[in-house]
Amino acid sequence: MKISQIVPVPKCSSPSTPSHYSPKFILPTVSKSFEKIIYARVSNFLNKNKLFTNFQYGFRNIASTELAVSAIYESFLENMDKGKTTWAVFLDLSKAFDTADHKILLRKLMYYGMRGKQNSFFESYLTNRKQCTKVNNYSLSFQTIKCGVPQGSLRGPSLFLIYVNDLPCASSFQTTLFANDTGLHLSRKDIKTLQLNVQIELDKVDTCMRSNRLSINYNKTAYMILTATRSQNCNFEISMNGVRIQQTDSIKYFCVILDNK
């Protein structure tokens, strides 16, 4: 029940490098049937006790990508109407589902009320899982997975939601989460104050991410500035972990292009 096969699926018509493939995880049927029962019980527990942050829009029945985009868009407009300048960034995480630390996740499950036998169950569920890669009729030997939530499973995404559930508490940013997609924005009337606040709060987020073993792709992360007055000078110098973050005029978020206008 804790084994899976990875089958590479081409992302383009003429794949030539490993990056041209996406991994498809195949789990045993009996494992999926068992997970449906666990998924229903855990989801009921989390929703009944209102443990999920209101800023999480991913893998939940009451949320969607449309609501995530709408929440950010309406906040941008409201801040501009108030004459505020808004700084926004959408973090690019590298293989977030694969790097989640099991010990950290188990501690968070305990914090949210899954203790004793329930916590022991999830410890067994997460540890000593094995997977192999299969290409055509050839399979590599099974290897033990030492971190990450189970890919291709029903429980994997919801476990990751628990893993990042406390991220909005790490800073003063207005946070929008859709699983591993993280949008942050902050608004101030004074631009110099905004730049100072942004750097302080961004350092908090970076520290939180690294303490949770989540890796931000700094070179692919870009920020955007929205102002009510176009003549304002907004050449910020913002960095994360010593890497300068580039500024852009528009950001693509769930197939919707948000620009600085």
Side-chain angles (χ1 to χ4, degrees):
M1 293 179 67
K2 296 198 291 185
I3 63 171
S4 61
Q5 287 185 335
I6 304 174
V7 178
V9 178
K11 294 191 289 186
C12 57
S13 58
S14 301
S16 57
T17 66
S19 62
H20 291 163
Y21 292 86
S22 294
K24 179 181 179 181
F25 292 80
I26 301 175
L27 278 69
T29 303
V30 65
S31 174
K32 290 186 176 182
S33 300
F34 178 68
E35 283 198 8
K36 285 183 179 180
I37 301 171
I38 304 302
Y39 176 79
R41 293 187 179 185
V42 173
S43 297
N44 181 62
F45 172 79
L46 293 170
N47 292 326
K48 182 179 179 180
N49 293 281
K50 299 179 180 180
L51 296 177
F52 278 130
T53 173
N54 293 329
F55 304 107
Q56 177 61 259
Y57 293 87
F59 302 109
R60 300 177 66 195
N61 293 332
I62 59 173
S64 64
T65 53
E66 290 89 345
L67 289 176
V69 173
S70 177
I72 293 175
Y73 180 71
E74 290 177 4
S75 182
F76 286 171
L77 292 182
E78 181 181 356
N79 290 324
M80 292 179 73
D81 289 341
K82 293 179 180 179
K84 294 181 178 181
T85 298
T86 299
W87 184 94
V89 67
F90 295 88
L91 300 180
D92 186 278
L93 299 182
S94 301
K95 300 181 179 179
F97 280 66
D98 295 329
T99 60
D101 186 275
H102 292 164
K103 291 183 178 179
I104 295 175
L105 176 54
L106 289 169
R107 287 201 299 268
K108 293 188 178 187
L109 287 169
M110 186 177 295
Y111 173 80
Y112 289 118
M114 299 176 207
R115 307 182 180 96
K117 291 182 178 180
Q118 291 88 347
N119 200 269
S120 296
F121 164 80
F122 279 107
E123 182 178 8
S124 174
Y125 175 79
L126 290 167
T127 56
N128 295 318
R129 299 186 72 91
K130 297 181 183 295
Q131 65 184 26
C132 72
T133 302
K134 183 177 181 180
V135 180
N136 297 326
N137 294 322
Y138 298 92
S139 296
L140 298 177
S141 59
F142 280 97
Q143 301 293 324
T144 302
I145 306 170
K146 297 182 178 179
C147 61
V149 296
Q151 297 273 21
S153 67
L154 289 172
R155 293 293 316 135
S158 55
L159 286 174
F160 187 79
L161 298 191
I162 295 172
Y163 196 78
V164 297
N165 197 54
D166 54 356
L167 180 59
C169 302
S171 70
S172 298
F173 282 119
Q174 287 182 265
T175 307
T176 304
L177 298 170
F178 194 96
N180 60 321
D181 290 300
T182 306
L184 307 170
H185 65 279
L186 189 68
S187 301
R188 295 287 187 270
K189 285 195 173 183
D190 181 70
I191 293 181
K192 291 184 178 179
T193 302
L194 176 62
Q195 181 176 4
L196 178 63
N197 291 162
V198 162
Q199 188 61 69
I200 293 173
E201 299 305 315
L202 204 57
D203 289 340
K204 294 178 183 178
V205 172
D206 190 36
T207 300
C208 176
M209 289 290 191
R210 285 188 280 121
S211 65
N212 282 283
R213 307 291 193 270
L214 295 174
S215 178
I216 300 174
N217 192 331
Y218 302 111
N219 294 321
K220 287 188 178 181
T221 298
Y223 72 87
M224 181 173 65
I225 297 178
L226 301 92
T227 62
T229 305
R230 300 296 166 209
S231 59
Q232 287 179 303
N233 183 16
C234 296
N235 295 321
F236 284 10
E237 288 191 11
I238 299 295
S239 63
M240 294 185 75
N241 197 26
V243 180
R244 183 173 178 179
I245 305 301
Q246 299 300 314
Q247 185 175 351
T248 183
D249 292 334
S250 63
I251 295 176
K252 192 175 183 179
Y253 189 61
F254 294 119
C255 298
V256 176
I257 297 177
L258 301 170
D259 62 34
N260 58 3
K261 297 181 177 60

